[in-house]
Amino acid sequence: MNKQTILRIAKYLGIGVISLFIAAFLLGGGVFLYYANKAPELSESKLVATTSSKIYDSKNELIADLGAERRVNAQSSDIPTDLVNAIVSIEDHRFFNHRGIDSIRIAGAFLRNLRSNSGLQGGSTLTQQLIKLTYFSTSTADQTLSRKVQEAWLAIQLERTATKQEILTYYVNKVYMSNGNYGMQTAAENYYGKDLKDLSIPQLALLAGMPQAPNQYDPYSHPEAALERRNLVLSEMQRQGYLTAEQYETAINTPITDGLQSLKSVNSYPQYMDNYLKEVIDQVEQETGYNLLTTGMEVYTNVDQEVQKHLWDVYNTDQYVNYPDDDIQAASTIVDVSNGKVIAQLGSRHQASNVSFGTNQAVETNRDWGSTMKPITDYAPALEYDIYDSTAYMLKDVPYNFPGTSTPVYNWDRGYYGNITLQTAIQQSRNVPAVETLDRVGLDKAKKFLNGLGIDYPTMVYANAISSNTTESGKQYGASSEKMAAAYAAFANGGIYHKPMYINKIVFSDGSSKEFSDQGTRAMKETTAYMMTEMMKTVLYSGTGRDAYISWLLQAGKTGTSNYTDEEIENHIKTSQFVAPDEMFVGYTRKYSMAVWTGYSNRLTPIVGDGFTVATSIYRSMMQYLAEDDHPGDWTMPEGLYRSGDYVFKNGARSNWIFQTTQQSSTTSSSTTENQNSVAETTSPNTAQNRTAPNTNQNPQ
């Protein structure tokens, strides 16, 4: 091949490459212009941050107008240089060097994402963040090419029409700052009693760092997280040359509480709605990507305000429940079993009136739900997978070790009943049959069954037969009142699981609307749900849940008690009384499911004496209220089952159960004899005693 031919080939290749580049450029430009043309109109009125979100209850009555009253806008001249430096240091180092989008920042984020396994890092500028807050959703599902183009286009347009100072002012006034405060000037006045220009460097750094996760970095409810975030801002300020070494050292050693004044009650909504509204805010963002605290919208929720108010009264007065003291806490959730709608929820007693959207224990999974896990972890899967075929199936309550270990499984009384029916095992909350049942089901099958009920563990262990403790923190694992109410609701409605739903409909600022509901998924056979319900009925009238019994109301449920370890008993618990850190009850009728947790904020403060009846008393009071005008009635036995005496059998069930006249127990001599078609059971005269043993050291820590 001669030189001329080579040159000719090179020429054509060059032309081809250039042509492809031009074509790609034109195509990209065309796509950009196409999407940019569909961008919303840039409007100062939207940037000024005057919108509010209205929240309605299930009867379309207004609950709250969030953002309407808690906003004091700062003027550009009111924003100190140190605050500007803090904001650009943590949010956009090159803010003063770009024109809306930053190609260097985008390239850097791209390279970091290639090298990192910790999740995607954004390349958005401060201007783009402002545009996103004003016009768009933050949902990952909405991170489309169209949205990114429109966001970039509006950012470029804003940079052409507004100064950097004006953009920063829009941002400072737009962001949500926790506790009902909108804008940094509002936060400065309510947190420190000062204007922005009068705040110290560490105080300004705290405010600058909060907008990315305002409730998480709230210095009142999460001081440690707030301190870590503030110090990160200070570190970036020093790295960018905005602070001297001396200034940095002084600032970073300043307590996070420096200058903070006591919060005043600023809520424009009833106090009893705070926990519920927090979950509304979270679900709106999960479902749409929009933060209703910074984006104007109308949200129609599923809360029944009358029920919510009654739950508040039950918690905070002595009219319904005999509380041992003001410090014992409670958290509960009530759901409609037919659709998963959360009609009421409350996370604590005697809530502080000056904190907005703080910790809601009703959705937290940091406490152990004990024996309330047995029905959904052990016995329902055993029926579902045909390991057991009747409520009279005979089980052994005898000395037994956790599978694969030499660690004994203890019952509450350190004794054993011998041969008992499945129904008795649930009714009297025996631990040994529960653990052996989980072993027969298998950890993988049990985990799959639990997943169908909205409950998961990072790694499931045999101790989970009687405990919800997990090896990892995070609300995605373990149990909460929200999760348990939804899980037990599947027993109530014939085996269909519904995700807990707080929101019903959203009307967005552009007039468009979207409705939200959960259609439900089958979590178990109808026969499984019915058999479990029949057994858990007996828990209330002759088992461990008699304190929740209502003579005229058909219902089912299960008690739960967590344990202290032997070490905790020895080192921290200074009493010889029966003690536990957590006491729970989960119950349901054909209409409603309710889960109640009780305990002390400090886990090492034990429940004693009458404290063990608080959970069942709260439940009983609420169910009486809910059913007083509408008795739900009984469940209908589905096809595939038949009844014999006090027990329910699957068609073709094996006849492995036996008649007995006595039950053996090493700790009690009292016994009751049922009719001739049932098994005699040993019961304790004291309901509060029928609990999981306190110091068996069996729950994973």
Side-chain angles (χ1 to χ4, degrees):
M1 187 179 296
N2 58 38
K3 183 177 179 181
Q4 188 175 5
T5 302
I6 294 173
L7 288 173
R8 187 181 298 112
I9 293 172
K11 175 183 174 183
Y12 289 139
L13 285 174
I15 292 172
V17 171
I18 294 171
S19 298
L20 285 173
F21 177 80
I22 294 172
F25 180 81
L26 292 174
L27 179 62
V31 171
F32 185 91
L33 291 174
Y34 174 78
Y35 288 134
N37 192 53
K38 295 180 177 294
E41 184 179 352
L42 194 64
S43 168
E44 185 178 11
S45 62
K46 285 188 173 292
L47 294 166
V48 171
T50 57
T51 57
S52 65
S53 290
K54 293 180 172 61
I55 317 296
Y56 299 87
D57 68 7
S58 60
K59 298 176 182 176
N60 298 336
E61 295 181 359
L62 183 66
I63 302 171
D65 191 348
L66 302 178
E69 300 176 2
R70 296 293 295 166
R71 194 186 305 275
V72 181
N73 285 345
Q75 302 299 314
S76 296
S77 57
D78 300 327
I79 301 175
T81 301
D82 285 330
L83 178 59
V84 173
N85 294 339
I87 293 172
V88 299
S89 292
I90 194 65
E91 299 292 349
D92 187 357
H93 295 167
R94 291 175 43 80
F95 175 71
F96 293 105
N97 298 319
H98 63 68
R99 289 295 177 262
I101 58 174
D102 187 351
S103 56
I104 296 176
R105 185 180 176 95
I106 294 171
F110 177 76
L111 292 174
R112 288 193 299 273
N113 292 330
L114 289 178
R115 295 194 299 262
S116 176
N117 295 320
S118 59
L120 295 179
Q121 300 182 40
S124 296
T125 64
L126 188 66
T127 311
Q128 287 175 280
Q129 292 180 45
L130 173 62
I131 293 296
K132 187 183 299 181
L133 280 172
T134 305
Y135 293 99
F136 298 115
S137 152
T138 58
S139 170
T140 303
D142 289 336
Q143 303 302 310
T144 60
L145 177 61
S146 172
R147 236 290 312 280
K148 285 293 186 183
V149 168
Q150 292 176 19
E151 181 185 295
W153 174 251
L154 289 175
I156 293 169
Q157 295 304 303
L158 181 58
E159 291 270 1
R160 291 176 59 188
T161 59
T163 65
K164 294 288 187 179
Q165 189 178 37
E166 289 171 335
I167 292 170
L168 275 166
T169 303
Y170 290 141
Y171 177 84
V172 165
N173 291 329
K174 171 70 72 175
V175 292
Y176 180 65
M177 298 296 291
S178 190
N179 296 303
N181 296 292
Y182 299 83
M184 294 185 183
Q185 174 64 25
T186 314
E189 291 183 5
N190 289 287
Y191 291 170
Y192 300 107
K194 298 178 179 179
D195 293 329
L196 282 171
K197 58 183 173 57
D198 298 321
L199 298 185
S200 67
I201 289 174
Q203 292 167 345
L204 292 170
L206 171 65
L207 297 185
M210 287 183 65
Q212 289 298 325
N215 291 328
Q216 179 181 338
Y217 300 134
D218 178 3
Y220 294 93
S221 54
H222 301 288
E224 293 182 359
L227 178 65
E228 184 177 353
R229 179 66 172 176
R230 185 206 67 179
N231 289 349
L232 176 62
V233 175
L234 291 170
S235 176
E236 288 297 312
M237 290 178 72
Q238 185 194 32
R239 195 164 71 88
Q240 297 299 314
Y242 295 125
L243 295 180
T244 65
E246 184 179 355
Q247 286 175 314
Y248 172 75
E249 196 65 28
T250 301
I252 206 164
N253 287 312
T254 302
I256 196 67
T257 55
D258 180 59
L260 282 177
Q261 60 181 15
S262 299
L263 281 176
K264 300 175 182 177
S265 180
V266 298
N267 296 338
S268 59
Y269 53 84
Q271 192 175 354
Y272 59 79
M273 286 303 307
D274 186 80
N275 288 156
Y276 196 100
L277 289 176
K278 182 178 188 294
E279 302 316 307
V280 169
I281 293 167
D282 289 348
Q283 192 161 75
V284 167
E285 187 156 11
Q286 291 169 14
E287 296 289 341
T288 71
Y290 287 99
N291 184 341
L292 68 79
L293 296 170
T294 57
T295 307
M297 60 180 69
E298 295 181 354
V299 181
Y300 294 83
T301 72
N302 295 320
V303 68
D304 186 321
Q305 272 206 90
E306 293 179 1
V307 178
Q308 182 75 13
K309 176 62 166 58
H310 188 76
L311 182 59
W312 176 272
D313 291 340
V314 170
Y315 271 35
N316 295 292
T317 70
D318 294 326
Q319 183 178 351
Y320 306 94
V321 176
N322 182 28
Y323 295 99
D325 52 60
D326 286 341
D327 293 329
I328 194 168
Q329 285 299 326
S332 57
T333 301
I334 305 173
V335 302
D336 185 326
V337 303
S338 67
N339 50 36
K341 292 181 178 181
V342 180
I343 68 165
Q345 184 181 85
L346 201 57
S348 64
R349 300 175 64 224
H350 307 304
Q351 293 181 350
S353 61
N354 57 358
V355 177
S356 299
F357 314 136
T359 300
N360 178 12
Q361 188 61 43
V363 300
E364 296 293 326
T365 59
N366 59 344
R367 304 300 285 260
D368 183 11
W369 280 75
S371 293
T372 61
M373 303 307 298
K374 294 174 181 174
I376 57 178
T377 305
D378 314 321
Y379 299 122
L383 291 170
E384 182 73 7
Y385 303 130
D386 295 320
I387 297 167
Y388 301 155
D389 54 16
S390 76
T391 63
Y393 195 96
M394 296 304 299
L395 304 177
K396 293 185 180 295
D397 185 18
V398 297
Y400 178 77
N401 295 336
F402 281 102
T405 76
S406 59
T407 304
V409 179
Y410 294 116
N411 293 305
W412 70 269
D413 53 8
R414 296 297 182 106
Y416 307 94
Y417 283 8
N419 293 327
I420 59 174
T421 64
L422 171 58
Q423 182 163 289
T424 300
I426 293 176
Q427 181 191 100
Q428 301 302 323
S429 199
R430 308 304 287 176
N431 286 348
V432 169
V435 178
E436 186 175 14
T437 296
L438 178 57
D439 186 33
R440 297 182 68 178
V441 170
L443 294 177
D444 291 341
K445 282 188 175 181
K447 191 173 189 294
K448 179 182 178 182
F449 188 88
L450 284 169
N451 290 165
L453 293 171
I455 294 173
D456 193 18
Y457 297 100
T459 301
M460 198 165 175
V461 295
Y462 286 108
N464 288 135
I466 57 177
S467 166
S468 67
N469 279 340
T470 70
T471 55
E472 294 183 21
S473 61
K475 289 194 289 187
Q476 70 269 39
Y477 300 123
S480 65
S481 77
E482 176 198 61
K483 291 186 179 185
M484 295 301 285
Y488 273 59
F491 292 136
N493 68 19
I496 304 299
Y497 171 77
H498 293 276
K499 171 186 172 182
M501 294 299 298
Y502 299 87
I503 59 176
N504 181 43
K505 185 177 77 170
I506 295 177
V507 179
F508 299 96
S509 58
D510 62 0
S512 63
S513 63
K514 184 177 181 180
E515 295 186 358
F516 299 87
S517 64
D518 185 82
Q519 299 305 307
T521 56
R522 180 157 292 284
M524 69 190 81
K525 302 170 188 172
E526 193 174 359
T527 54
T528 300
Y530 183 83
M531 295 172 80
M532 291 300 304
T533 294
E534 286 298 292
M535 291 187 287
M536 285 192 284
K537 283 180 180 178
T538 73
V539 172
L540 281 85
Y541 60 74
S542 60
T544 60
R546 282 171 286 181
D547 288 327
Y549 179 68
I550 303 170
S551 61
W552 49 268
L553 182 63
L554 288 163
Q555 52 180 341
K558 183 70 184 73
T559 55
T561 308
S562 67
N563 299 333
Y564 286 116
T565 64
D566 292 336
E567 183 182 2
E568 287 173 329
I569 291 284
E570 182 178 351
N571 295 331
H572 301 285
I573 310 302
K574 309 300 181 184
T575 178
S576 59
Q577 294 179 267
F578 185 93
V579 296
D582 311 281
E583 180 73 7
M584 289 72 56
F585 187 81
V586 188
Y588 56 92
T589 66
R590 285 185 62 199
K591 288 196 69 175
Y592 300 109
S593 175
M594 182 178 186
V596 184
W597 165 87
T598 59
Y600 292 87
S601 298
N602 181 354
R603 184 179 170 276
L604 294 177
T605 301
I607 300 172
V608 298
D610 291 342
F612 283 105
T613 67
V614 171
T616 48
S617 296
I618 291 174
Y619 169 87
R620 186 182 65 247
S621 182
M622 289 305 302
M623 282 303 182
Q624 285 177 322
Y625 173 79
L626 289 166
E628 60 184 359
D629 297 323
D630 183 13
H631 295 197
D634 202 358
W635 289 264
T636 301
M637 186 166 66
E639 294 184 2
L641 301 176
Y642 70 92
R643 187 182 302 276
S644 177
D646 292 338
Y647 300 98
V648 177
F649 297 78
K650 296 181 182 180
N651 291 344
R654 301 179 295 277
S655 189
N656 78 318
W657 63 299
I658 60 176
F659 293 98
Q660 294 182 191
T661 57
T662 61
Q663 290 284 352
Q664 302 298 317
S665 173
S666 63
T667 60
T668 179
S669 61
S670 65
S671 65
T672 60
T673 305
E674 298 183 326
N675 65 48
Q676 61 181 0
N677 292 320
S678 63
V679 180
E681 300 167 351
T682 302
T683 60
S684 171
N686 186 347
T687 303
Q689 288 181 324
N690 289 309
R691 317 283 179 182
T692 307
N695 65 342
T696 60
N697 199 20
Q698 293 180 18
N699 292 346
Q701 302 297 316

